[in-house]
Short mmCIF file of all heavy atoms in Angstrom, two decimals:
data_model
loop_
_atom_site.label_atom_id
_atom_site.label_comp_id
_atom_site.label_asym_id
_atom_site.label_seq_id
_atom_site.Cartn_x
_atom_site.Cartn_y
_atom_site.Cartn_z
N MET A 1 -0.54 44.54 11.95
CA MET A 1 -1.19 44.46 13.18
C MET A 1 -1.58 42.95 13.46
O MET A 1 -2.20 42.39 12.61
CB MET A 1 -2.41 45.31 13.33
CG MET A 1 -2.95 45.40 14.72
SD MET A 1 -4.08 46.76 14.73
CE MET A 1 -4.96 46.32 16.20
N SER A 2 -1.27 42.46 14.61
CA SER A 2 -1.59 41.04 14.90
C SER A 2 -3.02 40.84 15.36
O SER A 2 -3.61 41.65 15.95
CB SER A 2 -0.53 40.60 16.08
OG SER A 2 -0.92 39.29 16.43
N GLU A 3 -3.55 39.68 14.94
CA GLU A 3 -4.86 39.31 15.32
C GLU A 3 -4.95 38.50 16.52
O GLU A 3 -5.92 37.97 16.92
CB GLU A 3 -5.63 38.62 14.18
CG GLU A 3 -5.85 39.54 12.96
CD GLU A 3 -6.58 38.92 11.83
OE1 GLU A 3 -7.28 37.96 12.09
OE2 GLU A 3 -6.40 39.38 10.73
N LEU A 4 -3.80 38.20 17.12
CA LEU A 4 -3.70 37.32 18.32
C LEU A 4 -3.94 38.30 19.54
O LEU A 4 -3.57 39.47 19.57
CB LEU A 4 -2.36 36.75 18.42
CG LEU A 4 -1.92 35.74 17.33
CD1 LEU A 4 -0.52 35.26 17.41
CD2 LEU A 4 -2.91 34.53 17.38
N PRO A 5 -4.51 37.60 20.56
CA PRO A 5 -4.80 38.34 21.74
C PRO A 5 -3.44 38.79 22.47
O PRO A 5 -2.56 38.00 22.37
CB PRO A 5 -5.59 37.46 22.60
CG PRO A 5 -5.40 36.09 22.11
CD PRO A 5 -5.01 36.31 20.61
N PRO A 6 -3.43 39.88 23.10
CA PRO A 6 -2.17 40.37 23.82
C PRO A 6 -1.95 39.76 25.10
O PRO A 6 -0.74 39.69 25.61
CB PRO A 6 -2.44 41.89 23.95
CG PRO A 6 -3.96 42.02 24.06
CD PRO A 6 -4.49 40.90 23.17
N ASP A 7 -2.95 39.17 25.75
CA ASP A 7 -2.79 38.62 27.13
C ASP A 7 -2.46 37.15 27.13
O ASP A 7 -2.86 36.44 26.27
CB ASP A 7 -3.95 38.91 28.05
CG ASP A 7 -5.25 38.32 27.44
OD1 ASP A 7 -5.49 38.60 26.23
OD2 ASP A 7 -6.01 37.67 28.15
N LEU A 8 -1.71 36.75 28.05
CA LEU A 8 -1.26 35.32 28.25
C LEU A 8 -2.36 34.22 28.32
O LEU A 8 -2.31 33.30 27.57
CB LEU A 8 -0.29 35.24 29.41
CG LEU A 8 0.55 34.03 29.62
CD1 LEU A 8 1.40 33.78 28.37
CD2 LEU A 8 1.55 34.11 30.85
N PRO A 9 -3.33 34.39 29.16
CA PRO A 9 -4.31 33.33 29.13
C PRO A 9 -5.05 33.14 27.85
O PRO A 9 -5.30 31.89 27.47
CB PRO A 9 -5.35 33.88 30.26
CG PRO A 9 -4.63 34.83 31.09
CD PRO A 9 -3.59 35.42 30.11
N ARG A 10 -5.41 34.18 27.15
CA ARG A 10 -6.11 33.92 25.82
C ARG A 10 -5.06 33.44 24.79
O ARG A 10 -5.49 32.61 23.92
CB ARG A 10 -6.73 35.25 25.30
CG ARG A 10 -7.99 35.54 26.14
CD ARG A 10 -8.77 36.65 25.55
NE ARG A 10 -7.97 37.90 25.57
CZ ARG A 10 -8.37 39.02 25.00
NH1 ARG A 10 -9.50 39.07 24.18
NH2 ARG A 10 -7.62 40.13 24.93
N LEU A 11 -3.84 33.82 24.83
CA LEU A 11 -2.88 33.25 23.97
C LEU A 11 -2.63 31.75 24.20
O LEU A 11 -2.62 30.97 23.24
CB LEU A 11 -1.49 33.89 24.16
CG LEU A 11 -1.15 35.17 23.34
CD1 LEU A 11 0.13 35.84 23.71
CD2 LEU A 11 -1.28 34.89 21.84
N ARG A 12 -2.73 31.36 25.49
CA ARG A 12 -2.54 29.88 25.74
C ARG A 12 -3.82 29.17 25.22
O ARG A 12 -3.73 27.98 24.74
CB ARG A 12 -2.43 29.73 27.20
CG ARG A 12 -1.02 30.04 27.67
CD ARG A 12 -0.89 29.54 29.25
NE ARG A 12 0.54 29.87 29.62
CZ ARG A 12 0.94 30.39 30.74
NH1 ARG A 12 0.03 30.73 31.59
NH2 ARG A 12 2.21 30.58 30.97
N THR A 13 -4.97 29.74 25.27
CA THR A 13 -6.25 29.16 24.78
C THR A 13 -6.07 28.96 23.24
O THR A 13 -6.40 27.85 22.74
CB THR A 13 -7.41 30.05 25.13
OG1 THR A 13 -7.49 30.20 26.60
CG2 THR A 13 -8.70 29.42 24.62
N VAL A 14 -5.54 29.95 22.63
CA VAL A 14 -5.37 29.96 21.12
C VAL A 14 -4.41 28.78 20.81
O VAL A 14 -4.65 27.97 19.85
CB VAL A 14 -4.89 31.29 20.58
CG1 VAL A 14 -4.52 31.09 19.11
CG2 VAL A 14 -6.04 32.22 20.66
N VAL A 15 -3.28 28.70 21.46
CA VAL A 15 -2.31 27.69 21.22
C VAL A 15 -2.84 26.33 21.48
O VAL A 15 -2.63 25.34 20.71
CB VAL A 15 -1.03 27.92 22.12
CG1 VAL A 15 -0.13 26.67 22.01
CG2 VAL A 15 -0.31 29.15 21.66
N THR A 16 -3.62 26.14 22.45
CA THR A 16 -4.24 24.86 22.86
C THR A 16 -5.19 24.43 21.73
O THR A 16 -5.21 23.23 21.23
CB THR A 16 -5.02 24.85 24.24
OG1 THR A 16 -4.11 25.19 25.26
CG2 THR A 16 -5.62 23.54 24.53
N TYR A 17 -6.00 25.35 21.25
CA TYR A 17 -6.90 25.06 20.19
C TYR A 17 -6.14 24.67 18.92
O TYR A 17 -6.57 23.73 18.23
CB TYR A 17 -7.91 26.27 19.95
CG TYR A 17 -8.59 26.22 18.73
CD1 TYR A 17 -9.81 25.39 18.73
CD2 TYR A 17 -8.26 26.90 17.60
CE1 TYR A 17 -10.51 25.26 17.56
CE2 TYR A 17 -9.03 26.81 16.38
CZ TYR A 17 -10.13 25.93 16.38
OH TYR A 17 -10.88 25.88 15.23
N LEU A 18 -5.16 25.47 18.58
CA LEU A 18 -4.43 25.13 17.34
C LEU A 18 -3.71 23.79 17.44
O LEU A 18 -3.62 23.09 16.37
CB LEU A 18 -3.44 26.30 17.07
CG LEU A 18 -4.04 27.59 16.66
CD1 LEU A 18 -3.03 28.63 16.54
CD2 LEU A 18 -4.93 27.51 15.40
N ARG A 19 -3.24 23.48 18.58
CA ARG A 19 -2.56 22.09 18.77
C ARG A 19 -3.57 21.01 18.52
O ARG A 19 -3.23 19.99 17.91
CB ARG A 19 -1.96 22.00 20.10
CG ARG A 19 -0.67 22.76 20.29
CD ARG A 19 -0.03 22.51 21.63
NE ARG A 19 1.20 23.24 21.68
CZ ARG A 19 1.70 23.73 22.84
NH1 ARG A 19 1.12 23.51 24.02
NH2 ARG A 19 2.82 24.48 22.81
N SER A 20 -4.81 21.21 19.02
CA SER A 20 -5.85 20.15 18.84
C SER A 20 -6.26 20.11 17.38
O SER A 20 -6.48 18.96 16.79
CB SER A 20 -7.02 20.48 19.76
OG SER A 20 -7.75 21.57 19.28
N GLU A 21 -6.24 21.18 16.66
CA GLU A 21 -6.62 21.20 15.34
C GLU A 21 -5.47 20.53 14.45
O GLU A 21 -5.79 19.89 13.51
CB GLU A 21 -6.88 22.63 14.75
CG GLU A 21 -8.16 23.25 15.27
CD GLU A 21 -9.37 22.40 14.77
OE1 GLU A 21 -9.48 22.19 13.49
OE2 GLU A 21 -10.15 21.95 15.66
N LEU A 22 -4.23 20.72 14.85
CA LEU A 22 -3.17 20.09 14.18
C LEU A 22 -3.19 18.62 14.36
O LEU A 22 -2.94 17.93 13.36
CB LEU A 22 -1.78 20.73 14.80
CG LEU A 22 -0.56 20.06 14.18
CD1 LEU A 22 -0.47 20.28 12.69
CD2 LEU A 22 0.69 20.67 14.93
N VAL A 23 -3.57 18.10 15.52
CA VAL A 23 -3.66 16.74 15.75
C VAL A 23 -4.75 16.18 14.85
O VAL A 23 -4.57 15.11 14.15
CB VAL A 23 -4.02 16.39 17.22
CG1 VAL A 23 -4.45 14.97 17.46
CG2 VAL A 23 -2.76 16.72 18.08
N ARG A 24 -5.90 16.85 14.72
CA ARG A 24 -7.00 16.41 13.72
C ARG A 24 -6.51 16.34 12.30
O ARG A 24 -6.75 15.43 11.70
CB ARG A 24 -8.16 17.37 13.93
CG ARG A 24 -9.00 17.15 15.18
CD ARG A 24 -10.23 18.07 15.23
NE ARG A 24 -11.06 17.83 14.06
CZ ARG A 24 -11.79 18.80 13.50
NH1 ARG A 24 -11.60 20.03 13.85
NH2 ARG A 24 -12.46 18.50 12.44
N ALA A 25 -5.75 17.40 11.95
CA ALA A 25 -5.29 17.47 10.59
C ALA A 25 -4.31 16.29 10.32
O ALA A 25 -4.30 15.73 9.21
CB ALA A 25 -4.66 18.77 10.27
N GLU A 26 -3.38 16.03 11.27
CA GLU A 26 -2.38 14.98 11.06
C GLU A 26 -3.09 13.60 11.05
O GLU A 26 -2.75 12.68 10.23
CB GLU A 26 -1.42 15.01 12.22
CG GLU A 26 -0.43 16.13 12.12
CD GLU A 26 0.57 16.23 13.30
OE1 GLU A 26 0.19 15.73 14.37
OE2 GLU A 26 1.63 16.83 13.10
N ARG A 27 -4.17 13.44 11.78
CA ARG A 27 -4.93 12.14 11.72
C ARG A 27 -5.51 11.98 10.36
O ARG A 27 -5.53 10.88 9.80
CB ARG A 27 -6.01 12.09 12.84
CG ARG A 27 -5.46 11.72 14.11
CD ARG A 27 -6.66 11.68 15.15
NE ARG A 27 -6.19 11.68 16.56
CZ ARG A 27 -6.66 12.24 17.61
NH1 ARG A 27 -7.87 12.74 17.44
NH2 ARG A 27 -6.19 12.09 18.77
N ALA A 28 -6.15 13.09 9.86
CA ALA A 28 -6.81 12.97 8.54
C ALA A 28 -5.76 12.73 7.47
O ALA A 28 -5.98 12.00 6.50
CB ALA A 28 -7.56 14.32 8.29
N LEU A 29 -4.54 13.35 7.56
CA LEU A 29 -3.50 13.11 6.67
C LEU A 29 -3.00 11.68 6.68
O LEU A 29 -2.94 11.05 5.66
CB LEU A 29 -2.31 13.95 7.00
CG LEU A 29 -1.06 13.85 6.12
CD1 LEU A 29 -1.38 14.22 4.68
CD2 LEU A 29 0.05 14.73 6.62
N ASN A 30 -2.83 11.06 7.88
CA ASN A 30 -2.53 9.65 7.95
C ASN A 30 -3.56 8.71 7.30
O ASN A 30 -3.16 7.82 6.61
CB ASN A 30 -2.26 9.28 9.39
CG ASN A 30 -0.98 9.92 10.02
OD1 ASN A 30 -0.10 10.19 9.30
ND2 ASN A 30 -0.98 10.07 11.28
N ILE A 31 -4.80 9.04 7.56
CA ILE A 31 -5.88 8.17 6.99
C ILE A 31 -5.82 8.29 5.45
O ILE A 31 -5.91 7.34 4.74
CB ILE A 31 -7.20 8.66 7.50
CG1 ILE A 31 -7.35 8.27 9.00
CG2 ILE A 31 -8.38 8.09 6.74
CD1 ILE A 31 -8.48 8.78 9.67
N ALA A 32 -5.64 9.48 4.93
CA ALA A 32 -5.62 9.70 3.45
C ALA A 32 -4.33 9.03 2.91
O ALA A 32 -4.47 8.38 1.80
CB ALA A 32 -5.53 11.20 3.16
N GLU A 33 -3.20 9.01 3.58
CA GLU A 33 -2.01 8.39 3.04
C GLU A 33 -2.19 6.86 3.08
O GLU A 33 -1.80 6.16 2.14
CB GLU A 33 -0.80 8.77 3.87
CG GLU A 33 -0.30 10.18 3.64
CD GLU A 33 0.81 10.62 4.55
OE1 GLU A 33 0.98 10.04 5.65
OE2 GLU A 33 1.54 11.60 4.17
N GLU A 34 -2.80 6.33 4.14
CA GLU A 34 -3.00 4.85 4.19
C GLU A 34 -4.00 4.42 3.08
O GLU A 34 -3.81 3.45 2.46
CB GLU A 34 -3.66 4.50 5.51
CG GLU A 34 -2.65 4.60 6.62
CD GLU A 34 -3.26 4.38 8.08
OE1 GLU A 34 -4.49 4.05 8.11
OE2 GLU A 34 -2.55 4.54 9.04
N ARG A 35 -5.02 5.27 2.88
CA ARG A 35 -5.93 4.92 1.70
C ARG A 35 -5.31 4.91 0.37
O ARG A 35 -5.55 4.10 -0.41
CB ARG A 35 -7.07 6.00 1.81
CG ARG A 35 -8.29 5.61 0.89
CD ARG A 35 -9.37 6.75 1.08
NE ARG A 35 -9.68 7.22 2.34
CZ ARG A 35 -9.71 8.47 2.71
NH1 ARG A 35 -9.47 9.36 1.79
NH2 ARG A 35 -9.93 8.78 3.89
N GLU A 36 -4.44 5.97 0.21
CA GLU A 36 -3.65 6.03 -1.04
C GLU A 36 -2.76 4.85 -1.17
O GLU A 36 -2.57 4.28 -2.25
CB GLU A 36 -2.91 7.33 -1.14
CG GLU A 36 -2.20 7.51 -2.42
CD GLU A 36 -3.02 7.58 -3.71
OE1 GLU A 36 -4.20 8.02 -3.54
OE2 GLU A 36 -2.53 7.25 -4.76
N ALA A 37 -2.08 4.41 -0.14
CA ALA A 37 -1.10 3.30 -0.18
C ALA A 37 -1.90 2.00 -0.53
O ALA A 37 -1.42 1.18 -1.28
CB ALA A 37 -0.35 3.17 1.08
N LEU A 38 -3.07 1.84 0.08
CA LEU A 38 -3.92 0.64 -0.23
C LEU A 38 -4.29 0.66 -1.71
O LEU A 38 -4.30 -0.37 -2.30
CB LEU A 38 -5.09 0.60 0.79
CG LEU A 38 -6.02 -0.50 0.55
CD1 LEU A 38 -5.27 -1.87 0.86
CD2 LEU A 38 -7.23 -0.35 1.48
N ALA A 39 -4.71 1.78 -2.16
CA ALA A 39 -5.12 1.87 -3.53
C ALA A 39 -3.90 1.55 -4.54
O ALA A 39 -4.04 0.93 -5.50
CB ALA A 39 -5.68 3.28 -3.89
N ALA A 40 -2.75 2.04 -4.12
CA ALA A 40 -1.53 1.78 -4.96
C ALA A 40 -1.23 0.32 -4.97
O ALA A 40 -0.74 -0.20 -6.00
CB ALA A 40 -0.43 2.67 -4.54
N ARG A 41 -1.41 -0.39 -3.86
CA ARG A 41 -1.13 -1.78 -3.81
C ARG A 41 -2.15 -2.60 -4.62
O ARG A 41 -1.71 -3.65 -5.10
CB ARG A 41 -1.14 -2.32 -2.34
CG ARG A 41 0.06 -1.90 -1.64
CD ARG A 41 0.19 -2.69 -0.25
NE ARG A 41 -0.99 -2.44 0.60
CZ ARG A 41 -1.01 -1.56 1.60
NH1 ARG A 41 0.04 -0.78 1.79
NH2 ARG A 41 -2.05 -1.45 2.28
N ARG A 42 -3.32 -2.07 -4.74
CA ARG A 42 -4.33 -2.80 -5.55
C ARG A 42 -4.15 -2.61 -7.02
O ARG A 42 -4.74 -3.33 -7.76
CB ARG A 42 -5.77 -2.38 -5.02
CG ARG A 42 -6.12 -2.86 -3.68
CD ARG A 42 -7.49 -2.36 -3.30
NE ARG A 42 -7.83 -2.89 -2.02
CZ ARG A 42 -8.87 -2.59 -1.37
NH1 ARG A 42 -9.77 -1.72 -1.85
NH2 ARG A 42 -9.11 -3.15 -0.12
N ARG A 43 -3.55 -1.58 -7.46
CA ARG A 43 -3.36 -1.21 -8.84
C ARG A 43 -2.49 -2.40 -9.48
O ARG A 43 -1.51 -2.86 -8.91
CB ARG A 43 -2.72 0.14 -9.09
CG ARG A 43 -3.67 1.23 -8.95
CD ARG A 43 -2.98 2.49 -9.40
NE ARG A 43 -3.54 3.57 -8.43
CZ ARG A 43 -2.76 4.28 -7.71
NH1 ARG A 43 -1.44 4.24 -7.76
NH2 ARG A 43 -3.29 5.17 -6.84
N PRO A 44 -2.81 -2.78 -10.70
CA PRO A 44 -1.97 -3.72 -11.40
C PRO A 44 -0.61 -3.14 -11.74
O PRO A 44 -0.45 -1.86 -11.89
CB PRO A 44 -2.69 -4.20 -12.70
CG PRO A 44 -3.59 -3.00 -12.87
CD PRO A 44 -3.99 -2.40 -11.47
N ALA A 45 0.40 -4.03 -11.86
CA ALA A 45 1.77 -3.53 -12.14
C ALA A 45 1.76 -2.99 -13.62
O ALA A 45 1.06 -3.46 -14.47
CB ALA A 45 2.84 -4.64 -12.01
N PRO A 46 2.56 -2.04 -13.88
CA PRO A 46 2.62 -1.44 -15.23
C PRO A 46 3.12 -2.52 -16.22
O PRO A 46 4.00 -3.39 -15.84
CB PRO A 46 3.48 -0.19 -15.11
CG PRO A 46 4.31 -0.46 -13.98
CD PRO A 46 3.45 -1.28 -13.04
N GLU A 47 2.79 -2.50 -17.46
CA GLU A 47 3.21 -3.43 -18.48
C GLU A 47 4.70 -3.07 -18.77
O GLU A 47 5.04 -1.88 -18.82
CB GLU A 47 2.41 -3.37 -19.70
CG GLU A 47 0.96 -3.84 -19.63
CD GLU A 47 0.19 -3.84 -20.88
OE1 GLU A 47 0.84 -3.87 -21.92
OE2 GLU A 47 -1.05 -3.71 -20.85
N PRO A 48 5.53 -4.12 -19.08
CA PRO A 48 6.87 -3.90 -19.41
C PRO A 48 6.96 -3.24 -20.80
O PRO A 48 6.04 -3.34 -21.58
CB PRO A 48 7.44 -5.29 -19.51
CG PRO A 48 6.33 -6.21 -19.68
CD PRO A 48 5.15 -5.56 -19.00
N PRO A 49 7.95 -2.38 -21.01
CA PRO A 49 8.11 -1.69 -22.25
C PRO A 49 8.26 -2.67 -23.43
O PRO A 49 8.72 -3.79 -23.37
CB PRO A 49 9.31 -0.79 -22.14
CG PRO A 49 10.13 -1.58 -21.08
CD PRO A 49 9.14 -2.15 -20.23
N ALA A 50 7.74 -2.22 -24.59
CA ALA A 50 7.89 -3.16 -25.82
C ALA A 50 9.27 -3.09 -26.42
O ALA A 50 9.62 -3.85 -27.22
CB ALA A 50 6.87 -2.67 -26.91
N TRP A 51 10.06 -2.04 -26.03
CA TRP A 51 11.45 -1.84 -26.55
C TRP A 51 12.35 -1.81 -25.44
O TRP A 51 12.07 -1.25 -24.36
CB TRP A 51 11.50 -0.59 -27.32
CG TRP A 51 10.71 -0.60 -28.57
CD1 TRP A 51 9.39 -0.23 -28.61
CD2 TRP A 51 11.11 -0.96 -29.87
NE1 TRP A 51 8.99 -0.38 -29.94
CE2 TRP A 51 10.02 -0.89 -30.75
CE3 TRP A 51 12.26 -1.41 -30.44
CZ2 TRP A 51 10.05 -1.15 -32.08
CZ3 TRP A 51 12.35 -1.63 -31.76
CH2 TRP A 51 11.21 -1.55 -32.56
N LEU A 52 13.60 -2.36 -25.63
CA LEU A 52 14.71 -2.12 -24.72
C LEU A 52 15.88 -1.48 -25.46
O LEU A 52 15.95 -1.61 -26.68
CB LEU A 52 15.25 -3.54 -24.15
CG LEU A 52 14.35 -4.23 -23.18
CD1 LEU A 52 15.02 -5.56 -22.81
CD2 LEU A 52 14.14 -3.42 -21.96
N ILE A 53 16.82 -0.95 -24.74
CA ILE A 53 17.90 -0.36 -25.32
C ILE A 53 19.21 -1.24 -24.90
O ILE A 53 19.45 -1.45 -23.77
CB ILE A 53 18.21 1.07 -24.80
CG1 ILE A 53 17.04 1.92 -25.15
CG2 ILE A 53 19.49 1.70 -25.37
CD1 ILE A 53 16.83 2.16 -26.59
N GLU A 54 19.95 -1.73 -25.93
CA GLU A 54 21.18 -2.42 -25.62
C GLU A 54 22.36 -1.42 -25.69
O GLU A 54 22.42 -0.59 -26.45
CB GLU A 54 21.41 -3.53 -26.72
CG GLU A 54 20.45 -4.70 -26.72
CD GLU A 54 20.76 -5.73 -27.75
OE1 GLU A 54 21.74 -5.53 -28.54
OE2 GLU A 54 19.98 -6.66 -27.88
N ARG A 55 23.20 -1.62 -24.73
CA ARG A 55 24.23 -0.56 -24.53
C ARG A 55 25.60 -1.15 -24.81
O ARG A 55 26.60 -0.72 -24.27
CB ARG A 55 24.24 -0.07 -23.04
CG ARG A 55 22.89 0.57 -22.66
CD ARG A 55 23.14 1.99 -22.32
NE ARG A 55 21.98 2.57 -21.94
CZ ARG A 55 21.57 3.71 -22.54
NH1 ARG A 55 22.25 4.29 -23.40
NH2 ARG A 55 20.42 4.20 -22.17
N GLY A 56 25.73 -2.11 -25.73
CA GLY A 56 26.97 -2.57 -26.22
C GLY A 56 27.83 -3.39 -25.14
O GLY A 56 28.98 -3.23 -25.00
N ILE A 57 27.12 -4.31 -24.47
CA ILE A 57 27.78 -5.14 -23.40
C ILE A 57 28.41 -6.34 -24.16
O ILE A 57 27.69 -7.04 -24.93
CB ILE A 57 26.79 -5.62 -22.39
CG1 ILE A 57 26.31 -4.37 -21.66
CG2 ILE A 57 27.50 -6.53 -21.35
CD1 ILE A 57 25.14 -4.69 -20.63
N GLY A 58 29.64 -6.64 -24.13
CA GLY A 58 30.22 -7.81 -24.67
C GLY A 58 31.19 -7.33 -25.91
O GLY A 58 31.20 -6.26 -26.32
N ALA A 59 31.97 -8.33 -26.38
CA ALA A 59 32.94 -8.16 -27.37
C ALA A 59 32.22 -7.95 -28.70
O ALA A 59 31.28 -8.70 -28.98
CB ALA A 59 33.93 -9.20 -27.41
N GLY A 60 32.72 -7.06 -29.60
CA GLY A 60 32.24 -6.91 -30.94
C GLY A 60 30.93 -6.12 -31.03
O GLY A 60 30.39 -5.98 -32.16
N ARG A 61 30.48 -5.60 -29.98
CA ARG A 61 29.26 -4.75 -30.14
C ARG A 61 29.65 -3.33 -30.13
O ARG A 61 30.60 -2.87 -29.37
CB ARG A 61 28.33 -5.03 -28.93
CG ARG A 61 27.71 -6.35 -28.97
CD ARG A 61 26.62 -6.40 -27.96
NE ARG A 61 26.00 -7.72 -28.05
CZ ARG A 61 24.99 -8.12 -27.28
NH1 ARG A 61 24.45 -7.24 -26.46
NH2 ARG A 61 24.46 -9.35 -27.34
N PRO A 62 29.01 -2.51 -30.92
CA PRO A 62 29.29 -1.00 -30.88
C PRO A 62 28.89 -0.40 -29.55
O PRO A 62 27.93 -0.91 -28.90
CB PRO A 62 28.49 -0.52 -32.00
CG PRO A 62 27.38 -1.46 -32.21
CD PRO A 62 27.97 -2.76 -31.87
N PRO A 63 29.59 0.70 -29.18
CA PRO A 63 29.27 1.26 -27.96
C PRO A 63 27.96 2.08 -27.98
O PRO A 63 27.39 2.39 -26.93
CB PRO A 63 30.42 2.22 -27.57
CG PRO A 63 31.00 2.53 -28.91
CD PRO A 63 30.70 1.24 -29.75
N GLY A 64 27.42 2.31 -29.12
CA GLY A 64 26.10 3.10 -29.21
C GLY A 64 24.96 2.29 -28.78
O GLY A 64 24.96 1.11 -28.68
N ALA A 65 23.87 2.92 -28.49
CA ALA A 65 22.63 2.25 -28.10
C ALA A 65 21.84 1.77 -29.31
O ALA A 65 21.80 2.55 -30.28
CB ALA A 65 21.73 3.21 -27.27
N ARG A 66 21.23 0.61 -29.32
CA ARG A 66 20.55 0.02 -30.42
C ARG A 66 19.17 -0.40 -29.83
O ARG A 66 19.10 -1.22 -28.87
CB ARG A 66 21.18 -1.18 -30.96
CG ARG A 66 22.45 -0.91 -31.67
CD ARG A 66 23.04 -2.09 -32.36
NE ARG A 66 23.03 -3.28 -31.45
CZ ARG A 66 23.59 -4.40 -31.73
NH1 ARG A 66 24.17 -4.57 -32.92
NH2 ARG A 66 23.56 -5.42 -30.91
N PRO A 67 18.03 0.03 -30.48
CA PRO A 67 16.83 -0.48 -30.06
C PRO A 67 16.59 -1.95 -30.39
O PRO A 67 17.09 -2.43 -31.37
CB PRO A 67 15.75 0.35 -30.67
CG PRO A 67 16.43 0.95 -31.80
CD PRO A 67 17.88 1.00 -31.55
N ARG A 68 15.95 -2.74 -29.57
CA ARG A 68 15.65 -4.19 -29.88
C ARG A 68 14.25 -4.46 -29.55
O ARG A 68 13.70 -4.24 -28.51
CB ARG A 68 16.53 -5.03 -28.95
CG ARG A 68 16.42 -6.47 -29.20
CD ARG A 68 17.40 -7.35 -28.35
NE ARG A 68 16.64 -8.46 -27.82
CZ ARG A 68 16.73 -8.89 -26.64
NH1 ARG A 68 17.65 -8.41 -25.81
NH2 ARG A 68 16.05 -9.94 -26.28
N ARG A 69 13.50 -4.98 -30.53
CA ARG A 69 12.15 -5.35 -30.45
C ARG A 69 11.97 -6.57 -29.56
O ARG A 69 12.65 -7.57 -29.71
CB ARG A 69 11.54 -5.58 -31.80
CG ARG A 69 10.10 -5.85 -31.83
CD ARG A 69 9.31 -4.55 -31.85
NE ARG A 69 7.92 -4.87 -32.07
CZ ARG A 69 7.00 -4.26 -31.40
NH1 ARG A 69 7.24 -3.27 -30.56
NH2 ARG A 69 5.65 -4.56 -31.67
N LEU A 70 11.11 -6.50 -28.54
CA LEU A 70 10.90 -7.60 -27.60
C LEU A 70 9.80 -8.65 -28.15
O LEU A 70 10.02 -9.81 -27.94
CB LEU A 70 10.42 -7.19 -26.28
CG LEU A 70 11.52 -6.41 -25.42
CD1 LEU A 70 10.96 -5.93 -24.09
CD2 LEU A 70 12.79 -7.30 -25.21
N LEU A 71 8.78 -8.09 -28.70
CA LEU A 71 7.60 -8.99 -29.12
C LEU A 71 7.57 -8.93 -30.69
O LEU A 71 7.85 -7.89 -31.33
CB LEU A 71 6.39 -8.39 -28.68
CG LEU A 71 6.28 -8.19 -27.16
CD1 LEU A 71 5.02 -7.42 -26.71
CD2 LEU A 71 6.29 -9.49 -26.47
N GLY A 72 7.32 -10.07 -31.27
CA GLY A 72 7.14 -10.09 -32.78
C GLY A 72 8.52 -10.21 -33.42
O GLY A 72 9.41 -11.05 -32.99
N CYS A 73 8.71 -9.60 -34.53
CA CYS A 73 9.88 -9.77 -35.37
C CYS A 73 11.15 -9.18 -34.65
O CYS A 73 11.14 -8.19 -33.91
CB CYS A 73 9.81 -9.01 -36.69
SG CYS A 73 8.37 -9.61 -37.59
N PRO A 74 12.33 -9.82 -34.91
CA PRO A 74 13.54 -9.33 -34.30
C PRO A 74 14.10 -8.11 -34.85
O PRO A 74 13.91 -7.62 -35.83
CB PRO A 74 14.52 -10.50 -34.43
CG PRO A 74 14.03 -11.42 -35.43
CD PRO A 74 12.53 -11.07 -35.65
#
């Protein structure tokens, strides 16, 4: 059973109300998204990884992946 009114004038009133609530919800969503984007821009960039994978580019290298230490000992 529907909880909506059966007559046209009251249905139009409900639709008008729901549209205004949707506008309010969309504004709140936009504000939250802008706040989150601002916070993301303020966060420092992540540190680069300590290890890289070489994929055998160049002559004489095996095709398999080899880890390579970036910091410290080779």
Side-chain angles (χ1 to χ4, degrees):
M1 188 164 162
S2 176
E3 294 183 23
L4 295 175
D7 58 309
L8 193 56
R10 287 192 295 169
L11 274 174
R12 284 190 177 138
T13 302
V14 169
V15 168
T16 302
Y17 170 75
L18 290 175
R19 284 182 180 152
S20 68
E21 289 299 305
L22 178 59
V23 168
R24 287 182 55 217
E26 287 174 338
R27 283 183 192 146
L29 177 63
N30 288 335
I31 291 169
E33 287 174 341
E34 289 172 5
R35 191 178 319 128
E36 181 64 28
L38 181 61
R41 285 192 300 265
R42 289 183 179 171
R43 281 186 219 125
E47 293 184 24
W51 295 86
L52 287 180
I53 302 294
E54 292 183 0
R55 299 242 179 233
I57 298 173
R61 291 188 181 187
R66 297 184 309 186
R68 184 176 135 216
R69 184 86 172 139
L70 291 178
L71 305 172
C73 300

